[in-house]
Coordinates of all heavy atoms in Angstrom, one line a residue:
M26 N 33.3 73.5 46.5 CA 33.7 74.7 47.1 C 33.0 75.9 46.4 O 32.9 76.0 45.2 CB 35.2 74.9 46.9 CG 35.8 76.1 47.5 SD 37.6 76.4 47.2 CE 38.3 74.9 47.7
D27 N 32.4 76.8 47.2 CA 31.7 77.9 46.6 C 32.7 79.0 46.1 O 33.9 79.0 46.5 CB 30.6 78.5 47.5 CG 31.2 79.1 48.8 OD1 32.3 79.6 48.8 OD2 30.5 79.0 49.8
Y28 N 32.2 80.0 45.4 CA 33.1 81.0 44.8 C 33.8 81.8 45.9 O 35.0 82.1 45.7 CB 32.3 81.9 43.9 CG 33.2 83.0 43.3 CD1 34.1 82.8 42.3 CD2 33.2 84.3 43.9 CE1 35.0 83.8 41.8 CE2 34.1 85.3 43.5 CZ 35.0 85.0 42.4 OH 35.8 86.0 42.0
D29 N 33.1 82.2 46.9 CA 33.7 83.0 47.9 C 34.9 82.3 48.6 O 36.0 82.9 48.9 CB 32.7 83.5 49.0 CG 31.7 84.5 48.4 OD1 32.1 85.1 47.4 OD2 30.7 84.7 49.1
T30 N 34.7 81.0 48.9 CA 35.8 80.2 49.5 C 36.9 80.1 48.6 O 38.1 80.3 48.9 CB 35.2 78.8 49.9 OG1 34.1 79.0 50.7 CG2 36.3 78.1 50.7
F31 N 36.6 79.8 47.3 CA 37.7 79.7 46.3 C 38.5 81.0 46.2 O 39.7 81.0 46.3 CB 37.1 79.4 44.9 CG 38.2 79.4 43.8 CD1 38.9 78.2 43.6 CD2 38.4 80.5 43.1 CE1 39.9 78.2 42.6 CE2 39.4 80.5 42.1 CZ 40.2 79.4 41.9
A32 N 37.8 82.1 46.2 CA 38.4 83.4 46.0 C 39.3 83.7 47.3 O 40.4 84.2 47.2 CB 37.4 84.5 45.8
A33 N 38.8 83.3 48.4 CA 39.6 83.6 49.7 C 40.8 82.7 49.7 O 41.9 83.2 50.1 CB 38.7 83.3 50.9
V34 N 40.7 81.5 49.3 CA 41.9 80.6 49.3 C 42.9 81.1 48.3 O 44.1 81.1 48.5 CB 41.5 79.1 49.0 CG1 42.7 78.2 48.8 CG2 40.6 78.6 50.2
D35 N 42.4 81.5 47.1 CA 43.2 81.9 46.0 C 44.0 83.2 46.5 O 45.2 83.3 46.2 CB 42.4 82.2 44.8 CG 43.2 82.4 43.5 OD1 43.9 81.5 43.1 OD2 43.1 83.5 42.9
R36 N 43.3 84.1 47.1 CA 43.9 85.3 47.6 C 45.0 85.0 48.7 O 46.1 85.6 48.7 CB 42.8 86.3 48.2 CG 43.2 87.7 48.4 CD 42.1 88.6 48.6 NE 41.1 88.2 49.5 CZ 39.8 87.8 49.2 NH1 39.5 87.8 47.9 NH2 39.0 87.3 50.1
F37 N 44.6 84.1 49.6 CA 45.6 83.7 50.6 C 46.9 83.2 50.0 O 48.0 83.5 50.4 CB 44.9 82.7 51.6 CG 45.9 82.2 52.6 CD1 46.2 82.9 53.7 CD2 46.5 80.9 52.5 CE1 47.1 82.4 54.7 CE2 47.4 80.4 53.4 CZ 47.7 81.2 54.5
I38 N 46.7 82.3 49.1 CA 47.9 81.7 48.4 C 48.7 82.8 47.7 O 49.9 82.8 47.8 CB 47.5 80.6 47.4 CG1 46.9 79.4 48.2 CG2 48.7 80.1 46.6 CD1 46.3 78.3 47.4
G39 N 48.0 83.7 47.1 CA 48.7 84.8 46.4 C 49.4 85.7 47.3 O 50.5 86.2 46.9
E40 N 48.9 85.9 48.5 CA 49.6 86.8 49.5 C 50.7 86.1 50.3 O 51.6 86.8 50.8 CB 48.5 87.3 50.5 CG 47.6 88.3 49.8 CD 46.4 88.7 50.7 OE1 46.3 88.1 51.8 OE2 45.6 89.4 50.2
T41 N 50.7 84.8 50.3 CA 51.7 84.1 51.2 C 52.7 83.2 50.5 O 53.8 83.0 51.0 CB 50.9 83.2 52.2 OG1 50.1 82.3 51.5 CG2 50.1 84.0 53.1
V42 N 52.3 82.7 49.3 CA 53.2 81.7 48.7 C 53.7 82.1 47.3 O 54.9 81.8 47.0 CB 52.4 80.3 48.5 CG1 53.2 79.3 47.8 CG2 51.8 79.8 49.8
V43 N 52.9 82.8 46.5 CA 53.3 83.1 45.2 C 54.0 84.5 45.1 O 53.3 85.5 45.4 CB 52.1 83.1 44.2 CG1 52.5 83.4 42.8 CG2 51.4 81.7 44.3
A44 N 55.2 84.5 44.7 CA 55.9 85.8 44.6 C 55.5 86.6 43.3 O 55.3 86.0 42.3 CB 57.4 85.5 44.6
E45 N 55.5 87.9 43.5 CA 55.3 88.7 42.3 C 56.5 89.7 42.3 O 57.2 89.9 43.3 CB 54.0 89.6 42.5 CG 52.7 88.8 42.4 CD 51.7 89.5 41.5 OE1 51.1 90.4 41.9 OE2 51.6 89.1 40.3
D46 N 56.8 90.2 41.1 CA 57.9 91.1 41.0 C 57.5 92.4 40.3 O 56.3 92.6 39.9 CB 59.1 90.4 40.3 CG 58.7 90.0 38.9 OD1 57.8 90.6 38.3 OD2 59.4 89.0 38.4
E47 N 58.4 93.2 40.1 CA 58.2 94.6 39.5 C 57.5 94.4 38.1 O 56.5 95.2 37.8 CB 59.5 95.3 39.3 CG 59.5 96.7 39.0 CD 59.4 97.6 40.3 OE1 59.4 97.0 41.4 OE2 59.5 98.8 40.1
G48 N 57.9 93.5 37.3 CA 57.4 93.3 36.0 C 55.9 92.9 36.0 O 55.1 93.5 35.3
L49 N 55.6 92.0 36.9 CA 54.2 91.5 37.0 C 53.3 92.6 37.6 O 52.2 92.9 37.0 CB 54.1 90.3 37.8 CG 54.7 89.0 37.1 CD1 55.0 87.9 38.1 CD2 53.8 88.5 36.0
R50 N 53.8 93.2 38.6 CA 53.0 94.3 39.2 C 52.9 95.5 38.2 O 51.8 96.1 38.2 CB 53.6 94.8 40.5 CG 53.3 93.9 41.7 CD 53.8 94.5 43.0 NE 55.2 94.6 43.1 CZ 56.0 93.7 43.7 NH1 55.5 92.6 44.1 NH2 57.3 93.8 43.7
G51 N 53.9 95.7 37.5 CA 53.9 96.8 36.5 C 52.9 96.6 35.4 O 52.2 97.5 35.0
A52 N 52.7 95.3 35.0 CA 51.8 95.0 33.9 C 50.4 95.2 34.4 O 49.5 95.8 33.7 CB 52.0 93.5 33.5
V53 N 50.1 94.8 35.7 CA 48.8 95.0 36.2 C 48.5 96.5 36.4 O 47.4 97.0 36.1 CB 48.6 94.3 37.6 CG1 47.3 94.6 38.3 CG2 48.7 92.8 37.4
A54 N 49.5 97.3 36.9 CA 49.3 98.7 37.1 C 49.1 99.4 35.8 O 48.2 100.3 35.6 CB 50.5 99.3 37.8
A55 N 49.8 99.0 34.7 CA 49.7 99.7 33.4 C 48.3 99.4 32.8 O 47.7 100.3 32.2 CB 50.8 99.2 32.5
A56 N 47.8 98.2 33.0 CA 46.5 97.8 32.5 C 45.4 98.6 33.2 O 44.5 99.1 32.5 CB 46.3 96.3 32.7
E57 N 45.6 98.7 34.5 CA 44.6 99.5 35.3 C 44.6 101.0 34.8 O 43.6 101.6 34.6 CB 44.9 99.4 36.7 CG 43.8 99.9 37.7 CD 44.2 99.8 39.1 OE1 45.1 99.0 39.5 OE2 43.7 100.7 39.9
E58 N 45.8 101.5 34.6 CA 46.0 102.9 34.2 C 45.3 103.1 32.8 O 44.8 104.2 32.6 CB 47.4 103.2 34.2 CG 47.8 104.7 34.4 CD 49.3 104.9 34.6 OE1 49.8 104.4 35.5 OE2 49.9 105.5 33.7
A59 N 45.4 102.1 32.0 CA 44.9 102.2 30.6 C 43.4 101.9 30.6 O 42.8 102.0 29.5 CB 45.6 101.2 29.7
G60 N 42.8 101.6 31.8 CA 41.3 101.4 31.8 C 40.9 100.1 31.4 O 39.7 99.8 31.2
L61 N 41.8 99.1 31.4 CA 41.4 97.7 31.1 C 40.7 97.1 32.3 O 41.1 97.4 33.5 CB 42.7 96.9 30.7 CG 43.1 96.9 29.3 CD1 43.4 98.3 28.8 CD2 44.3 96.0 29.1
P62 N 39.8 96.2 32.1 CA 39.2 95.5 33.3 C 40.2 94.6 34.0 O 41.0 94.0 33.3 CB 38.0 94.7 32.6 CG 38.4 94.5 31.2 CD 39.3 95.7 30.8
A63 N 40.0 94.5 35.3 CA 40.9 93.7 36.1 C 40.4 92.2 36.1 O 39.9 91.7 37.1 CB 41.0 94.2 37.5
I64 N 40.5 91.6 34.9 CA 40.0 90.2 34.8 C 41.1 89.3 34.4 O 40.9 88.2 33.9 CB 38.9 90.1 33.7 CG1 39.3 90.8 32.4 CG2 37.6 90.9 34.3 CD1 38.3 90.6 31.3
Q65 N 42.4 89.7 34.7 CA 43.5 88.8 34.4 C 43.5 87.6 35.4 O 42.8 87.7 36.5 CB 44.8 89.5 34.5 CG 45.2 90.0 35.8 CD 44.6 91.3 36.2 OE1 43.9 91.9 35.5 NE2 44.9 91.7 37.5
V66 N 44.2 86.6 35.1 CA 44.3 85.5 36.1 C 45.0 86.0 37.4 O 45.7 87.0 37.4 CB 45.2 84.3 35.5 CG1 44.5 83.7 34.3 CG2 46.6 84.7 35.2
S67 N 44.7 85.3 38.4 CA 45.3 85.7 39.7 C 46.7 85.2 39.8 O 47.2 84.4 39.0 CB 44.5 85.0 40.9 OG 44.7 83.6 40.8
P68 N 47.5 85.7 40.7 CA 48.9 85.3 40.8 C 49.0 83.7 40.9 O 49.9 83.2 40.2 CB 49.4 86.0 42.1 CG 48.7 87.3 42.0 CD 47.3 86.9 41.6
P69 N 48.2 83.1 41.8 CA 48.4 81.6 41.8 C 48.0 80.9 40.5 O 48.6 80.0 40.1 CB 47.4 81.2 42.9 CG 47.2 82.4 43.8 CD 47.3 83.6 42.9
Q70 N 47.0 81.5 39.8 CA 46.6 80.9 38.5 C 47.7 81.1 37.5 O 48.0 80.3 36.7 CB 45.3 81.5 38.1 CG 44.1 81.1 38.9 CD 42.9 82.0 38.8 OE1 42.9 83.0 38.0 NE2 41.8 81.7 39.5
G71 N 48.4 82.3 37.6 CA 49.5 82.6 36.7 C 50.7 81.6 37.0 O 51.3 81.1 36.0
K72 N 50.9 81.4 38.3 CA 51.9 80.4 38.6 C 51.6 79.0 38.1 O 52.5 78.3 37.7 CB 52.1 80.4 40.2 CG 53.1 79.5 40.7 CD 54.4 80.2 40.8 CE 55.5 79.4 41.5 NZ 56.8 80.0 41.5
L73 N 50.3 78.6 38.2 CA 49.9 77.3 37.7 C 50.2 77.2 36.2 O 50.7 76.2 35.7 CB 48.5 77.1 38.0 CG 47.9 75.8 37.4 CD1 48.6 74.5 38.0 CD2 46.4 75.7 37.7
L74 N 49.8 78.3 35.5 CA 50.1 78.3 34.0 C 51.6 78.1 33.7 O 51.9 77.3 32.8 CB 49.6 79.6 33.4 CG 48.1 79.8 33.2 CD1 47.9 81.3 32.7 CD2 47.6 78.8 32.2
A75 N 52.4 78.8 34.5 CA 53.9 78.6 34.3 C 54.3 77.2 34.6 O 55.1 76.6 33.8 CB 54.6 79.6 35.1
L76 N 53.7 76.6 35.6 CA 54.1 75.3 36.0 C 53.7 74.3 34.9 O 54.4 73.4 34.5 CB 53.3 74.9 37.3 CG 53.6 73.6 37.9 CD1 55.1 73.5 38.4 CD2 52.7 73.4 39.2
L77 N 52.5 74.5 34.3 CA 52.0 73.6 33.2 C 52.9 73.8 32.0 O 53.2 72.8 31.3 CB 50.6 74.0 32.9 CG 49.5 73.6 33.9 CD1 48.2 74.2 33.6 CD2 49.4 72.1 34.1
V78 N 53.4 75.0 31.7 CA 54.3 75.2 30.6 C 55.5 74.3 30.8 O 56.0 73.6 29.9 CB 54.7 76.7 30.4 CG1 55.8 76.9 29.5 CG2 53.5 77.5 30.0
R79 N 56.0 74.3 32.0 CA 57.3 73.6 32.3 C 57.0 72.1 32.3 O 57.8 71.3 31.8 CB 57.9 74.0 33.6 CG 58.4 75.4 33.6 CD 59.4 75.6 34.8 NE 60.0 76.9 34.7 CZ 59.5 78.0 35.3 NH1 58.5 77.9 36.1 NH2 60.1 79.1 35.2
L80 N 55.8 71.7 32.9 CA 55.5 70.2 33.0 C 55.4 69.6 31.6 O 55.8 68.4 31.5 CB 54.2 70.1 33.8 CG 54.3 70.1 35.3 CD1 52.9 70.1 35.9 CD2 55.2 69.0 35.8
V81 N 54.8 70.3 30.7 CA 54.6 69.7 29.4 C 55.8 69.9 28.4 O 55.8 69.4 27.3 CB 53.3 70.1 28.7 CG1 52.1 69.8 29.5 CG2 53.3 71.6 28.3
G82 N 56.7 70.7 28.9 CA 57.9 71.0 28.1 C 57.6 71.8 26.9 O 58.2 71.6 25.8
A83 N 56.6 72.8 27.1 CA 56.2 73.6 25.9 C 57.4 74.4 25.4 O 58.2 75.0 26.1 CB 55.1 74.5 26.3
G84 N 57.5 74.5 24.1 CA 58.4 75.3 23.4 C 57.8 76.4 22.7 O 58.4 77.5 22.3
K85 N 56.5 76.2 22.4 CA 55.7 77.2 21.7 C 54.3 77.4 22.4 O 53.7 76.3 22.7 CB 55.4 76.8 20.2 CG 56.6 76.8 19.4 CD 56.2 76.4 18.0 CE 57.4 76.0 17.1 NZ 57.1 75.3 15.9
I86 N 53.9 78.6 22.5 CA 52.6 78.8 23.2 C 51.8 79.8 22.3 O 52.3 80.8 21.8 CB 52.7 79.4 24.6 CG1 53.5 78.5 25.5 CG2 51.4 79.7 25.2 CD1 53.9 79.1 26.8
L87 N 50.5 79.5 22.1 CA 49.6 80.4 21.5 C 48.5 80.8 22.5 O 47.7 79.9 23.0 CB 48.9 79.7 20.3 CG 47.8 80.5 19.5 CD1 48.4 81.8 19.0 CD2 47.3 79.6 18.4
E88 N 48.5 82.1 22.9 CA 47.5 82.5 23.9 C 46.4 83.3 23.2 O 46.6 84.2 22.5 CB 48.2 83.4 24.9 CG 47.1 83.9 25.9 CD 47.7 84.9 27.0 OE1 48.1 86.0 26.6 OE2 47.7 84.6 28.2
F89 N 45.2 82.9 23.4 CA 44.0 83.6 23.0 C 43.5 84.4 24.1 O 43.1 83.9 25.2 CB 42.9 82.6 22.6 CG 43.1 81.9 21.3 CD1 43.9 80.7 21.2 CD2 42.7 82.4 20.1 CE1 44.1 80.1 20.0 CE2 42.9 81.8 18.9 CZ 43.7 80.6 18.8
G90 N 43.5 85.7 24.0 CA 43.0 86.6 25.0 C 44.1 87.1 25.9 O 44.3 86.6 27.0
T91 N 44.8 88.1 25.5 CA 46.0 88.6 26.3 C 45.7 89.7 27.2 O 46.4 89.9 28.2 CB 47.1 88.9 25.3 OG1 47.4 87.7 24.6 CG2 48.3 89.4 26.0
L92 N 44.7 90.5 27.0 CA 44.4 91.7 27.8 C 45.6 92.5 28.1 O 46.2 93.0 27.1 CB 43.7 91.2 29.1 CG 43.1 92.2 30.0 CD1 41.8 92.8 29.4 CD2 42.7 91.6 31.4
G93 N 46.0 92.6 29.3 CA 47.2 93.5 29.6 C 48.5 92.7 29.7 O 49.6 93.3 30.0
G94 N 48.5 91.4 29.4 CA 49.7 90.6 29.3 C 50.2 89.9 30.5 O 51.3 89.3 30.5
Y95 N 49.4 89.9 31.6 CA 49.8 89.3 32.8 C 50.1 87.8 32.6 O 51.2 87.3 32.9 CB 48.8 89.5 33.9 CG 49.3 88.9 35.3 CD1 50.0 89.7 36.1 CD2 49.0 87.6 35.6 CE1 50.5 89.2 37.4 CE2 49.4 87.1 36.8 CZ 50.1 87.9 37.7 OH 50.6 87.4 38.9
S96 N 49.2 87.0 32.1 CA 49.4 85.6 31.9 C 50.4 85.3 30.9 O 51.2 84.4 31.0 CB 48.1 84.9 31.6 OG 47.5 85.5 30.4
A97 N 50.5 86.2 29.9 CA 51.5 86.1 28.9 C 52.9 86.2 29.5 O 53.8 85.4 29.1 CB 51.4 87.1 27.8
I98 N 53.1 87.1 30.4 CA 54.4 87.3 31.0 C 54.8 86.0 31.8 O 55.9 85.5 31.8 CB 54.5 88.5 31.9 CG1 54.3 89.8 31.1 CG2 55.7 88.5 32.8 CD1 54.1 91.0 31.9
R99 N 53.7 85.5 32.6 CA 54.0 84.3 33.4 C 54.4 83.2 32.5 O 55.3 82.4 32.9 CB 52.7 84.0 34.1 CG 52.4 84.8 35.3 CD 53.1 84.4 36.6 NE 52.6 85.1 37.8 CZ 53.2 84.9 38.9 NH1 54.3 84.1 39.1 NH2 52.8 85.6 40.0
M100 N 53.7 83.0 31.4 CA 54.0 81.8 30.6 C 55.4 82.0 29.8 O 56.1 81.1 29.7 CB 52.9 81.6 29.6 CG 51.6 81.1 30.3 SD 50.4 80.5 29.1 CE 49.8 82.0 28.4
A101 N 55.6 83.3 29.3 CA 56.8 83.5 28.6 C 58.0 83.2 29.4 O 59.0 82.7 29.0 CB 56.8 85.0 28.1
R102 N 58.0 83.6 30.7 CA 59.1 83.4 31.6 C 59.4 81.9 31.8 O 60.5 81.5 32.2 CB 58.9 84.1 32.9 CG 59.0 85.6 32.8 CD 58.6 86.2 34.2 NE 58.9 87.6 34.2 CZ 58.6 88.4 35.2 NH1 58.2 87.8 36.4 NH2 58.8 89.7 35.2
A103 N 58.4 81.0 31.6 CA 58.5 79.6 31.9 C 59.0 78.9 30.6 O 59.4 77.7 30.7 CB 57.2 79.0 32.3
L104 N 59.1 79.6 29.5 CA 59.5 78.9 28.3 C 61.0 78.7 28.3 O 61.8 79.5 29.0 CB 59.2 79.8 27.1 CG 57.8 79.7 26.5 CD1 57.6 80.9 25.5 CD2 57.5 78.4 25.9
P105 N 61.5 77.7 27.6 CA 63.0 77.5 27.6 C 63.6 78.5 26.6 O 62.9 79.2 25.9 CB 63.1 76.1 27.0 CG 61.9 75.9 26.1 CD 60.8 76.7 26.9
E106 N 64.9 78.6 26.7 CA 65.7 79.5 25.8 C 65.2 79.2 24.3 O 65.1 78.1 23.9 CB 67.2 79.2 25.9 CG 68.1 80.1 25.2 CD 68.3 81.4 25.9 OE1 68.2 81.4 27.2 OE2 68.5 82.4 25.2
G107 N 64.9 80.3 23.6 CA 64.5 80.1 22.2 C 63.0 79.8 22.0 O 62.5 79.6 20.9
G108 N 62.3 79.7 23.2 CA 60.8 79.4 23.1 C 60.1 80.6 22.4 O 60.6 81.7 22.3
K109 N 58.8 80.3 22.0 CA 58.1 81.3 21.3 C 56.7 81.4 21.9 O 56.0 80.4 22.1 CB 58.0 80.8 19.9 CG 57.5 81.9 18.9 CD 57.7 81.5 17.5 CE 57.4 82.6 16.5 NZ 57.7 82.3 15.2
L110 N 56.3 82.6 22.1 CA 54.9 82.9 22.6 C 54.2 83.8 21.6 O 54.7 84.9 21.3 CB 55.0 83.6 24.0 CG 53.7 84.1 24.5 CD1 52.6 83.0 24.8 CD2 53.9 84.9 25.8
I111 N 53.1 83.4 21.1 CA 52.3 84.2 20.2 C 51.0 84.6 21.0 O 50.4 83.7 21.6 CB 51.9 83.5 18.9 CG1 53.2 83.1 18.2 CG2 51.0 84.3 18.0 CD1 53.0 82.2 17.0
I112 N 50.7 85.9 21.0 CA 49.5 86.3 21.8 C 48.5 87.0 20.8 O 48.9 87.7 19.9 CB 49.9 87.3 22.9 CG1 50.7 88.5 22.3 CG2 50.8 86.6 23.9 CD1 51.0 89.6 23.3
L113 N 47.2 86.7 21.1 CA 46.1 87.2 20.3 C 45.2 87.9 21.2 O 44.9 87.5 22.3 CB 45.4 86.1 19.6 CG 46.2 85.2 18.6 CD1 45.3 84.1 18.1 CD2 46.7 86.0 17.5
E114 N 44.7 89.1 20.8 CA 43.7 89.8 21.6 C 42.6 90.3 20.6 O 43.0 91.1 19.7 CB 44.3 90.9 22.4 CG 43.4 91.9 23.1 CD 42.3 91.1 24.0 OE1 42.7 90.4 24.9 OE2 41.1 91.3 23.7
A115 N 41.4 89.9 20.9 CA 40.3 90.3 20.0 C 39.9 91.7 20.1 O 39.4 92.3 19.1 CB 39.1 89.3 20.2
N116 N 40.0 92.3 21.3 CA 39.5 93.6 21.5 C 40.6 94.6 21.2 O 41.6 94.7 21.8 CB 39.1 93.8 23.0 CG 38.5 95.1 23.3 OD1 38.9 96.1 22.8 ND2 37.5 95.1 24.2
S117 N 40.4 95.4 20.1 CA 41.4 96.3 19.6 C 41.8 97.4 20.6 O 42.9 97.9 20.6 CB 41.0 96.9 18.3 OG 39.8 97.6 18.5
E118 N 40.9 97.7 21.5 CA 41.2 98.7 22.5 C 42.2 98.2 23.5 O 43.1 98.9 24.0 CB 39.9 99.2 23.2 CG 39.1 100.1 22.4 CD 37.8 100.5 23.1 OE1 37.8 100.6 24.3 OE2 36.8 100.8 22.4
Y119 N 42.1 96.9 23.8 CA 43.0 96.3 24.8 C 44.3 96.0 24.1 O 45.4 96.3 24.6 CB 42.5 94.9 25.3 CG 41.2 95.0 26.0 CD1 40.5 93.8 26.3 CD2 40.6 96.2 26.4 CE1 39.3 93.8 26.9 CE2 39.4 96.2 27.1 CZ 38.7 95.0 27.3 OH 37.5 95.0 28.0
A120 N 44.3 95.6 22.8 CA 45.5 95.3 22.1 C 46.3 96.5 21.9 O 47.6 96.5 22.0 CB 45.1 94.6 20.7
Ligands
SAM202 C1 40.0 87.1 31.1 S1 40.7 88.1 29.9 C2 42.3 87.4 29.7 C3 43.3 87.8 30.6 C4 44.7 87.4 30.3 N1 44.8 86.1 29.7 C5 45.5 87.3 31.7 O1 45.1 86.5 32.5 O2 46.4 88.2 31.9 C6 40.0 87.5 28.3 C7 40.5 88.2 27.1 O3 40.2 87.4 26.0 C8 39.8 88.3 24.9 N2 39.2 87.5 23.9 C9 37.9 87.0 24.0 N3 37.6 86.2 22.9 C10 38.8 86.2 22.2 C11 39.1 85.6 20.9 N4 38.3 84.8 20.3 N5 40.4 85.8 20.4 C12 41.3 86.6 21.1 N6 41.0 87.2 22.3 C13 39.7 87.0 22.8 C14 39.0 89.4 25.6 O4 39.0 90.6 24.9 C15 39.8 89.5 26.9 O5 40.8 90.5 26.8

């Protein structure tokens, strides 16, 4: 599959299947407002990350590269009660 097809399918799934809420939209809006690049995972990719967290029964997550926190929010919400998410961001301007 070429990139354009992948992007079109990803966008379609994001618009039709994967729900976003105020918190997720707010994180993207705040990142944009702060001048961060829009390179976060897409909504379907974020949903997949959350699914993987649940599938492996993760209780602790270490994220390298947090940017505006979109993927971190997706994964944090998939953790069980008492779960722990540690986030790292190399770029001090983004952090
Ligand atoms: C594609 S963005 C991540 C987006 C974020 N995970 C999301 O989807 O919401 C990659 C991020 O990784 C950061 N980064 C790159 N190398 C890193 C490292 N070695 N340690 C921590 N952060 C790093 C970059 O500064 C950038 O913000």
